[in-house]
Amino acid sequence: MKAHLITIGDEILIGQIINTNASWMADQLTAFGVEVEEIKTVSDTKDQIIKALKLAEGADLVLLTGGLGPTRDDVTKKAIADYFDTTMEFHQESYDRILYYFKKLNIPVTKLHKEQCYLPANCEVLLNKKGTAPGMWFENKGTVIVSMPGVPYEMKYLMEHEVIPKFLEKKSDVFVSTRTVQTIGTGETVLAEALESFELSLPEKLSLAYLPSLGTVRLRLTGKSENQTEINDLLDLKTKEMVQLIPDFFLGYEKDTIGHVIGNLLGEKGWTMGTAESCTGGHIAHIITAVPGSSAYFKGSVVAYSNEIKMNLLHVEEQTLVDHGAVSEQTVAAMVAGALKTLNVDVAIAVSGVAGPGGGSEEKPVGMIWVAVGNKDRIVTHQLQFGKDRDKNIKLTTNYGLNVLRKFLLAG
Amino acid sequence: MKAHLITIGDEILIGQIINTNASWMADQLTAFGVEVEEIKTVSDTKDQIIKALKLAEGADLVLLTGGLGPTRDDVTKKAIADYFDTTMEFHQESYDRILYYFKKLNIPVTKLHKEQCYLPANCEVLLNKKGTAPGMWFENKGTVIVSMPGVPYEMKYLMEHEVIPKFLEKKSDVFVSTRTVQTIGTGETVLAEALESFELSLPEKLSLAYLPSLGTVRLRLTGKSENQTEINDLLDLKTKEMVQLIPDFFLGYEKDTIGHVIGNLLGEKGWTMGTAESCTGGHIAHIITAVPGSSAYFKGSVVAYSNEIKMNLLHVEEQTLVDHGAVSEQTVAAMVAGALKTLNVDVAIAVSGVAGPGGGSEEKPVGMIWVAVGNKDRIVTHQLQFGKDRDKNIKLTTNYGLNVLRKFLLAG
């Protein structure tokens, strides 16, 4: 079963927002064995929407998002009505829902909300419990076309509760499955060399892709077959083989992140952790606490942007800062020792560096970062040198630093 | 001048990565007056790439990204050679660059790197100073086709230093310009009501779009004309009118974020700030420190996930936690007072809440959050109630809390 996604909106075409809806929908469809063949973004204009619908003919499923909100830049439903050569009709049930819902919240109903309830005559209405714009389901020459609002949580509600269950009833037997292996600490080329013979020996039903990000590479095996059991068994076997070829860089499976892996390692040991952050400004703590349940092992952080806080809360001695500077091995080691004491944790990570884009010197250029990880018995330190992009430096340092912590936890 | 973007990669189609390349390219092209008519993502297969190239015929500029890395899932350049019915030729200069560059870094050159230097015979090579895969420029029946690596900083380098300058030499006189107004603290519908007559009275050359995000809405005015001065003057005038209609929700212009606005307000006052974060886990500090130069006003944070840290570092009294709980008005007010002292800052923000998805109770359900902002003279508190999505709760709380801080700074 093949799907096309059409996301509508000038805000995507001018680069003002990132198309996170498309990736979420693609992830969901893939999980249910539906192959996304194409993702397209077109303008909020009737002509472009109609053209995109015509080009998507032949797909089993066409999902449109965007252009159903209450404001004037919404032309999607009129384009769909034109595409089907039908009229717009008032949908009383949708309007009654809005009246009921807004009365409860004590919000006035505007005429824009009433306009939202005019829908193409041939649509089947999908109940949107998260907002005022209903979803719309159409069937045409073997293709299902669904139109949803572009607001992410409304779209997600409709996908999970209406679109996917309804579509899966029609699903055929072609089965696509994937396995993902997360790696950290090296690049695509080193992994490709290590996996060269493995990749060449893969059966034709399987393919391998390398997906690099900041300090991590995801390896994805995809299999296609009419036999679901066969393809799953083959994927499991080959995934195991692949992991054995890259022991130094293996992080986890599927959606495992460094945050999850560290949480599991700390859980096994019964250890607590904390962070002492200068240039990452709280981003390491954010990645750790993005994991549900992290309060079991994460106690807290000191974000010490100023030297005053490094001294007062992390007990870094003034002489250390004077002799070696805030960006130095001595300072990050002292920050770890201070964090262990101040936060009363079993293991701590500390970073200090020049995030950029300004603020560097010849001796300590932009992108120079020191990382330390330690417990009461030992402290390890690393020096990194990245480029001048502040955002990238913060995120690379986070991933690099958390990998140092992971190795520290694995070592003892 | 119209552009089509074709991003190649199964990792996007299965929803594993978000297509940030497309939004970056679209933003750049728009800034230079090039209209992005369509963004498309297709699979790493020759057939799909060739089909996409054919459908893009007629555009002035077609940009392809992805599929030029050193690993085996890269078929883009072969597809382009087939599309042009040409052969692959070895490009010695590109290979010499790799040899020179890798020798300097003391990295072995692999045969995968050599394979990267076979390019379609009709291409003009664009020098990629950030990586090993060169960019490729083709001209065909009035259309410029450019292929670039999918690695973001390599693509960005090529766009800024090669593609855009080279393409702008061919640019025509049709001019598209936009103005963006950032709002915070209300939704799309309320803004649309306030701007209804304004929007209806806009001249035909202008259009208004509403772009909602978590707690913020961007308003974008787009103008198209052959007269650059006329359209810019008109946009400036109408932007000013629009801002005057929504004084309570106006945040800033163009790419202003709440982080920048708060930085400017603190700079004007000569105040320093800090954060005391429980459920946001450092994310507020991260948003503040994502702004270059934030070290001028941001001194640091205490991330206090555990009650122990709330007591030890933020001086919240045990009795307050016993009587009212960690998620309470009394606790966040005490956290602000503690942060002002511990971090020695002029103004502080504190949050405590149930981020979810687990951990709620009947009295304090998931999504209940308390926010406080204060200085030595006064403390304001707010209670929020969001849903069950951890990531969304963290980000909504960050935006909401920073807006409370902004209003506090504006008030005195």
Side-chain angles (χ1 to χ4, degrees):
Chain A
M1 302 296 270
K2 299 203 170 185
H4 282 218
L5 311 186
I6 303 173
T7 54
I8 298 160
D10 290 340
E11 66 274 23
I12 302 172
L13 292 174
I14 69 157
Q16 203 155 23
I17 67 164
I18 294 168
N19 197 350
T20 51
N21 273 356
S23 66
W24 189 89
M25 290 192 287
D27 181 52
Q28 290 292 307
L29 292 170
T30 303
F32 287 105
V34 180
E35 186 184 340
V36 176
E37 194 175 46
E38 192 173 296
I39 299 173
K40 183 183 278 187
T41 302
V42 297
S43 168
D44 286 331
T45 60
K46 261 194 195 178
D47 287 353
Q48 291 295 324
I49 296 168
I50 292 170
K51 187 179 151 201
L53 284 169
K54 284 185 180 159
L55 282 167
E57 282 169 8
D60 302 292
L61 176 65
V62 179
L63 298 179
L64 296 100
T65 63
L68 298 178
T71 52
R72 271 167 222 293
D73 54 335
D74 299 324
V75 296
T76 305
K77 62 187 180 181
K78 285 167 198 155
I80 297 174
D82 277 12
Y83 172 73
F84 283 120
D85 199 15
T86 187
T87 55
M88 301 291 276
E89 280 178 8
F90 187 68
H91 191 251
Q92 186 64 42
E93 202 186 320
S94 289
Y95 191 57
D96 291 344
R97 270 200 66 249
I98 292 177
L99 291 177
Y100 172 79
Y101 180 68
F102 277 41
K103 195 177 170 187
K104 252 177 64 178
L105 293 170
N106 206 14
I107 300 175
V109 176
T110 69
K111 66 172 182 288
L112 290 176
H113 291 116
K114 190 159 189 180
E115 275 171 31
Q116 279 193 283
C117 301
Y118 283 89
L119 307 175
N122 63 334
C123 90
E124 186 176 334
V125 173
L126 303 177
L127 185 62
N128 172 9
K129 289 194 178 168
K130 299 285 177 183
T132 54
M136 298 181 284
W137 175 285
F138 305 86
E139 296 190 18
N140 182 41
K141 300 174 201 154
T143 301
V144 170
I145 300 175
V146 182
S147 175
M148 292 173 282
V151 180
Y153 64 88
E154 296 186 28
M155 176 280 287
K156 288 177 186 175
Y157 172 84
L158 282 166
M159 282 291 285
E160 286 174 347
H161 295 87
E162 298 285 338
V163 181
I164 290 174
K166 205 167 151 75
F167 182 72
L168 286 183
E169 285 176 22
K170 299 171 172 281
K171 194 178 172 299
S172 87
D173 293 333
V174 178
F175 197 79
V176 182
S177 193
T178 68
R179 297 291 182 278
T180 298
V181 170
Q182 304 278 356
T183 73
I184 193 163
T186 191
E188 189 180 354
T189 314
V190 169
L191 291 169
E193 286 282 298
L195 296 174
E196 188 178 12
S197 342
F198 168 80
E199 193 175 350
L200 289 169
S201 73
L202 282 176
E204 210 173 311
K205 288 171 187 166
L206 299 193
S207 63
L208 175 63
Y210 297 76
L211 315 163
S213 184
L214 291 173
T216 64
V217 179
R218 287 188 297 282
L219 302 170
R220 193 190 63 234
L221 277 174
T222 303
K224 292 182 196 184
S225 164
E226 284 170 18
N227 183 331
Q228 181 167 351
T229 313
E230 179 211 4
I231 202 72
N232 276 328
D233 289 351
L234 190 58
L235 280 169
D236 288 339
L237 178 76
K238 288 291 168 185
T239 303
K240 207 171 151 187
E241 273 181 46
M242 186 167 74
V243 167
Q244 284 165 350
L245 294 167
I246 47 167
D248 292 347
F249 310 115
F250 173 72
L251 175 67
Y253 295 101
E254 302 307 326
K255 296 190 180 176
D256 282 351
T257 65
I258 184 77
H260 290 99
V261 170
I262 283 174
N264 291 338
L265 289 169
L266 289 167
E268 282 166 22
K269 286 179 181 294
W271 284 13
T272 57
M273 75 161 284
T275 78
E277 305 183 45
S278 186
C279 65
T280 44
H283 193 256
I284 299 180
H286 167 58
I287 294 299
I288 294 287
T289 57
V291 178
S294 47
S295 59
Y297 48 83
F298 177 79
K299 287 178 78 176
S301 298
V302 173
V303 179
Y305 240 48
S306 70
N307 282 346
E308 183 190 334
I309 293 179
K310 290 185 186 82
M311 292 187 284
N312 290 349
L313 295 189
L314 296 171
H315 315 300
V316 179
E317 289 186 23
E318 188 164 11
Q319 204 55 47
T320 305
L321 293 166
V322 171
D323 290 349
H324 307 286
V327 179
S328 66
E329 182 170 24
Q330 290 81 357
T331 296
V332 285
M335 285 167 74
V336 160
L340 290 170
K341 197 174 151 196
T342 295
L343 302 171
N344 187 26
V345 290
D346 297 312
V347 63
I349 175 170
V351 295
S352 185
V354 191
S361 64
E362 197 164 327
E363 200 194 345
K364 294 182 180 176
V366 170
M368 178 191 275
I369 319 266
W370 276 96
V371 174
V373 169
N375 62 8
K376 65 181 177 7
D377 299 321
R378 66 193 179 98
I379 293 178
V380 298
T381 58
H382 289 262
Q383 190 194 324
L384 323 174
Q385 181 60 56
F386 300 127
K388 296 203 172 181
D389 182 318
R390 184 180 186 85
D391 182 58
K392 202 168 150 186
N393 288 345
I394 290 171
K395 286 167 185 166
L396 276 168
T397 303
T398 300
N399 275 340
Y400 191 98
L402 289 173
N403 197 35
V404 174
L405 173 58
R406 182 181 74 95
K407 287 182 174 169
F408 187 94
L409 294 172
L410 285 170
Chain B
M1 301 296 270
K2 299 204 171 185
H4 281 218
L5 311 185
I6 303 174
T7 54
I8 298 159
D10 290 339
E11 67 275 22
I12 302 172
L13 293 174
I14 70 157
Q16 203 155 24
I17 66 163
I18 293 169
N19 197 351
T20 51
N21 274 356
S23 65
W24 188 89
M25 290 192 286
D27 181 50
Q28 291 293 307
L29 292 171
T30 304
F32 287 105
V34 180
E35 185 184 341
V36 177
E37 193 175 47
E38 192 173 296
I39 299 173
K40 183 185 276 187
T41 303
V42 298
S43 167
D44 286 330
T45 61
K46 260 194 198 178
D47 288 354
Q48 290 296 324
I49 295 168
I50 292 170
K51 187 179 150 202
L53 283 169
K54 284 185 179 158
L55 282 167
E57 283 169 8
D60 302 291
L61 177 65
V62 179
L63 299 179
L64 296 98
T65 63
L68 298 178
T71 53
R72 271 166 222 293
D73 53 334
D74 297 325
V75 295
T76 305
K77 62 188 180 181
K78 286 168 197 152
I80 296 174
D82 277 14
Y83 172 75
F84 283 119
D85 198 16
T86 187
T87 55
M88 302 291 277
E89 280 179 8
F90 187 69
H91 190 252
Q92 187 64 41
E93 202 186 320
S94 290
Y95 190 59
D96 291 344
R97 270 200 65 249
I98 293 177
L99 292 175
Y100 172 78
Y101 180 68
F102 277 43
K103 196 177 171 188
K104 252 178 63 179
L105 293 170
N106 207 14
I107 299 175
V109 175
T110 70
K111 68 173 180 290
L112 289 176
H113 291 116
K114 191 160 188 178
E115 275 171 32
Q116 280 193 283
C117 302
Y118 282 89
L119 307 175
N122 62 333
C123 91
E124 185 177 335
V125 173
L126 303 177
L127 185 62
N128 172 9
K129 289 193 176 168
K130 299 286 177 183
T132 54
M136 298 180 285
W137 175 284
F138 305 86
E139 297 189 19
N140 183 41
K141 299 175 202 155
T143 301
V144 170
I145 300 176
V146 182
S147 175
M148 292 173 282
V151 181
Y153 64 88
E154 297 186 28
M155 176 279 289
K156 288 177 187 176
Y157 173 83
L158 282 166
M159 282 289 286
E160 285 173 348
H161 295 86
E162 298 286 339
V163 181
I164 289 175
K166 206 168 152 75
F167 182 72
L168 286 184
E169 286 176 21
K170 299 173 173 280
K171 194 177 172 300
S172 86
D173 294 332
V174 178
F175 197 78
V176 182
S177 191
T178 67
R179 296 291 183 279
T180 299
V181 170
Q182 304 278 356
T183 72
I184 193 163
T186 191
E188 191 180 353
T189 313
V190 169
L191 291 167
E193 285 281 297
L195 296 173
E196 189 178 11
S197 343
F198 168 78
E199 193 176 350
L200 288 169
S201 73
L202 282 176
E204 210 173 311
K205 288 169 186 167
L206 299 193
S207 62
L208 174 64
Y210 296 78
L211 315 163
S213 184
L214 291 173
T216 63
V217 178
R218 285 189 298 282
L219 301 171
R220 194 190 62 235
L221 276 174
T222 303
K224 291 181 193 181
S225 165
E226 284 170 19
N227 182 331
Q228 182 167 348
T229 313
E230 180 211 5
I231 202 74
N232 277 327
D233 289 350
L234 190 58
L235 280 168
D236 288 339
L237 178 77
K238 287 293 167 184
T239 303
K240 208 171 151 188
E241 272 181 47
M242 186 168 74
V243 166
Q244 284 166 350
L245 294 167
I246 47 166
D248 292 346
F249 311 117
F250 172 73
L251 176 66
Y253 295 101
E254 301 308 324
K255 295 191 179 173
D256 282 351
T257 65
I258 183 77
H260 290 98
V261 170
I262 283 174
N264 291 339
L265 289 170
L266 290 166
E268 283 167 21
K269 286 179 180 294
W271 284 12
T272 58
M273 74 160 284
T275 79
E277 305 183 44
S278 186
C279 65
T280 44
H283 192 257
I284 298 179
H286 167 58
I287 293 300
I288 293 288
T289 58
V291 178
S294 47
S295 60
Y297 48 83
F298 177 79
K299 288 178 78 175
S301 297
V302 173
V303 179
Y305 240 48
S306 70
N307 281 346
E308 182 190 335
I309 292 178
K310 290 185 186 83
M311 292 185 286
N312 291 349
L313 295 188
L314 296 172
H315 315 301
V316 179
E317 289 187 23
E318 187 164 14
Q319 203 57 44
T320 305
L321 293 166
V322 170
D323 290 348
H324 306 285
V327 179
S328 66
E329 183 170 24
Q330 291 81 357
T331 296
V332 286
M335 286 168 74
V336 161
L340 290 171
K341 196 175 151 193
T342 295
L343 302 171
N344 186 26
V345 289
D346 297 312
V347 62
I349 175 169
V351 294
S352 184
V354 190
S361 65
E362 196 165 328
E363 199 194 347
K364 294 182 180 175
V366 171
M368 178 191 277
I369 320 265
W370 276 96
V371 174
V373 169
N375 63 7
K376 66 179 174 13
D377 300 318
R378 64 192 180 101
I379 293 178
V380 297
T381 58
H382 289 263
Q383 189 194 325
L384 322 174
Q385 181 61 56
F386 300 129
K388 298 205 171 179
D389 181 318
R390 184 181 186 85
D391 182 57
K392 202 169 151 187
N393 288 345
I394 290 171
K395 287 168 184 164
L396 275 169
T397 302
T398 299
N399 276 340
Y400 190 98
L402 288 173
N403 196 35
V404 174
L405 172 58
R406 182 181 74 95
K407 287 181 174 170
F408 187 93
L409 295 171
L410 285 171

